[in-house]
Every structure is written in structure tokens, then in C-alpha cells.
């Protein structure tokens, strides 16, 4: 907490510090707590959870409590919590992203990764994405939804929600849905081309995605006009796999040492 007793809120994104979604989010959250913006100096979409270790990072102070970093969203949150902010934030809010972050795409998303870094450092975090940004309506409504959720997250700190992924549908939402991550596949994920000198190059991520059926998925929720609330976990352990591997080890231990294959 600061001297004013307002919670410190760290805001970041992957669209860059001048992105309209971030500007709207910081303005909406200013009513909730003391906002610090630490964001990439340019767009860093789809960089995943990359952390810069091979070069130094620079920080440009753009205004009061507003900093641009020449690195990834993960760099920004890491630097903010461990070096820039005067005190540990109460919550990290990432967004509002220009476009959805649904299903498997959270593994690539810089928006979600910024929130994930906060959670890894022990700070509850929220990632917010607007599925189809429109010039006419802007990001204000999605930012206000993010402020509402941030208030709830601050109220219920330590009650099981440490990392939340939120997708806001276009238009006026019909309500809220608690969802799981969906699964998607691309029919034409890689396209090969040749440059004027005949050298091959490739585009990744093209073609329309096909989503799995499932009413409880994040994709289904936003497709039907609902705000999708997906709690995420940092524990990537496969507990079903643990049980299988324990069976393997039990079998290995029953085999006499002389009968085991040599390494």
C-alpha cells in the first residue's frame, strides 16, 4: 500500500505503451487504486512468456508512474515488481488486448504472459482481451469490466483465483460465463512463398481456425456474446501422467538389476 492506502495496480500489455486499450485500462483502474504503467515501447504481440537475458534493458519514463521498456511483456512485469515500483503491487492487470486470447493461444499471448509473470512472482493477476475492437465503441466498456473484476480480485485475494484470463465479446455483453480453455486447430497454419530471388519464406498462423465443440469453453462463451472468465493455473504437471509414471517405476523396481537394459 502507498501512503494514501490505495492499492498499487501494475498495468502492462503486449500492444505497446501507446496502445488505446492500455490507455483506457489505466484510466478505468485509476478509480480503483494507484496505477503504475510499465509496458513495452512497441508492439510485442505473440512473444509468449519470453524473458530477455542476452542484452540489457532500458526504461524510458514517459510521465508520472508511466514507463516504457525495450523488452517483452514478461520483462516489463518482472522489472516493475523487482525494480521499478516503490512497493510490491497488489495486483497486475494486462490489456486491454486488441483481439481475443482464447484457448491454446494463451500459450503464445504476450498479454496473458504479462499476467502470468505477475502470478509467478506471487501477485494475483488478470489478463483482459477485447475480441473484436471497433473504432466506434473503443475500449472503454472492456476497461470498465476489467476495473470491476479488479475490485473483486482485490477483495478476494488468496481465495483461489491467482491468474484470470478474460475475453470480452464485441458489442454489449449478454452476461458472464465461467469457462475452461478451448482447443483450436488451423487448417492452413503455414504458407510457403518465394521472394524475387527464389528463396523460400513462410507465414505462420494463417487460415481460419476450427474450434472444438463445448458449451463450457471460452470460445463458445464469447461466440454467444458472453464475457468469458477462465481461471488459469501455473502448475503444468500432468497428474494423470504422474500416476502412469509411478506404475512404470514400480515395474522397473520389480525387474532384477541383471535383467535391466544397459544404458
Amino acid at each position: 500500500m502507498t501512503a494514501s492506502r490505495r492499492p498499487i495496480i501494475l498495468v502492462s500489455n503486449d500492444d505497446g505503451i501507446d496502445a488505446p486499450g492500455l490507455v483506457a485500462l489505466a484510466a478505468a483502474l485509476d478509480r480503483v487504486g494507484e496505477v503504475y504503467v510499465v509496458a513495452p515501447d512497441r508492439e510485442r504481440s505473440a512473444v509468449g512468456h519470453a524473458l530477455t537475458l542476452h542484452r540489457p534493458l532500458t526504461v524510458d519514463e514517459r510521465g508520472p508512474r508511466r514507463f516504457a521498456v525495450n523488452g517483452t511483456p514478461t520483462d516489463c512485469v518482472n522489472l516493475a515488481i523487482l525494480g521499478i515500483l516503490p512497493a510490491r503491487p497488489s495486483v497486475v492487470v494486462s490489456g486491454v488486448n486488441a483481439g481475443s486470447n482464447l484457448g491454446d493461444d494463451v500459450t503464445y499471448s504476450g498479454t496473458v504472459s504479462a499476467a502470468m509473470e505477475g502470478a509467478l512472482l506471487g501477485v494475483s493477476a488478470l489478463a483482459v482481451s477485447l475480441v473484436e475492437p471497433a473504432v466506434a465503441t473503443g475500449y472503454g466498456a472492456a476497461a470498465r469490466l476489467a476495473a470491476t473484476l479488479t475490485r473483486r480480485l482485490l477483495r478476494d485475494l488468496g481465495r483461489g483465483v491467482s491468474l484470470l484470463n478474460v475475453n470480452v465479446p464485441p458489442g454489449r455483453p449478454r452476461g458472464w460465463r465461467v469457462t475452461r480453455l478451448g482447443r483450436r486447430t488451423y487448417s492452413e497454419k503455414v504458407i510457403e512463398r518465394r521472394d524475387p530471388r527464389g528463396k523460400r519464406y513462410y507465414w505462420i498462423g494463417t487460415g481460419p481456425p476450427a474450434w472444438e465443440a463445448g458449451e463450457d469453453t471460452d470460445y463458445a462463451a464469447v461466440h454467444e456474446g458472453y464475457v468469458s472468465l477462465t481461471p488459469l493455473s501455473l502448475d503444468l504437471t500432468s497428474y494423470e501422467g504422474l500416476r502412469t509414471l509411478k506404475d512404470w517405476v514400480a515395474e522397473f523396481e520389480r525387474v532384477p538389476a541383471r535383467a535391466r537394459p544397459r544404458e
Side-chain angles (χ1 to χ4, degrees):
M1 295 287 187
T2 63
S4 65
R5 307 302 297 172
R6 300 182 77 206
I8 292 179
I9 301 173
L10 171 59
V11 173
S12 194
N13 72 346
D14 71 354
D15 290 325
I17 194 166
D18 296 317
L22 181 140
V23 173
L25 179 61
L29 290 173
D30 191 55
R31 301 178 179 87
V32 181
E34 184 170 321
V35 174
Y36 283 79
V37 174
V38 183
D41 60 357
R42 67 197 73 180
E43 183 180 349
R44 302 281 185 172
S45 299
V47 297
H49 199 209
L51 186 67
T52 301
L53 300 176
H54 60 278
R55 62 175 176 83
L57 295 168
T58 60
V59 179
D60 179 19
E61 188 168 358
R62 297 285 185 88
R65 304 194 305 275
R66 191 166 178 267
F67 304 87
V69 178
N70 68 336
T72 68
T74 299
D75 293 330
C76 294
V77 174
N78 190 285
L79 279 176
I81 294 176
L82 300 180
I84 297 175
L85 269 59
R88 190 174 183 82
S90 298
V91 66
V92 174
V93 187
S94 180
V96 174
N97 190 65
S100 65
N101 279 302
L102 299 164
D104 303 335
D105 288 342
V106 301
T107 61
Y108 308 113
S109 167
T111 302
V112 177
S113 292
M116 186 181 296
E117 184 68 7
L120 283 169
L121 294 174
V123 181
S124 294
L126 171 71
V128 185
S129 302
L130 182 56
V131 174
E132 293 180 11
V135 175
T137 56
Y139 292 85
R144 290 189 291 273
L145 283 171
T148 297
L149 290 168
T150 301
R151 287 189 179 94
R152 296 300 185 274
L153 196 58
L154 287 167
R155 186 192 69 182
D156 293 345
L157 289 176
R159 294 188 58 188
V161 179
S162 59
L163 179 57
L164 181 63
N165 187 43
V166 181
N167 282 276
V168 181
R172 186 181 180 86
R174 297 172 61 187
W176 311 78
R177 280 189 182 172
V178 177
T179 59
R180 64 179 175 88
L181 293 177
R183 298 296 306 274
R184 65 98 181 89
T185 57
Y186 285 99
S187 58
E188 296 177 339
K189 193 170 184 179
V190 176
I191 291 181
E192 179 183 312
R193 292 284 187 266
R194 289 183 181 270
D195 66 18
R197 292 183 173 83
K199 187 176 181 178
R200 292 187 183 89
Y201 66 91
Y202 299 87
W203 283 103
I204 294 177
T206 59
W211 290 90
E212 70 169 11
E215 293 183 359
D216 60 342
T217 65
D218 50 3
Y219 173 77
V222 298
H223 182 70
E224 295 173 16
Y226 291 88
V227 178
S228 169
L229 306 177
T230 308
L232 303 180
S233 171
L234 296 175
D235 185 355
L236 299 180
T237 305
S238 168
Y239 290 95
E240 183 178 356
L242 275 181
R243 291 189 289 272
T244 299
L245 291 178
K246 287 178 180 178
D247 290 341
W248 289 9
V249 170
E251 291 176 11
F252 294 157
E253 291 176 344
R254 288 195 297 268
V255 176
R258 63 179 180 276
R260 294 175 188 170
R262 294 181 179 178
E263 294 182 358

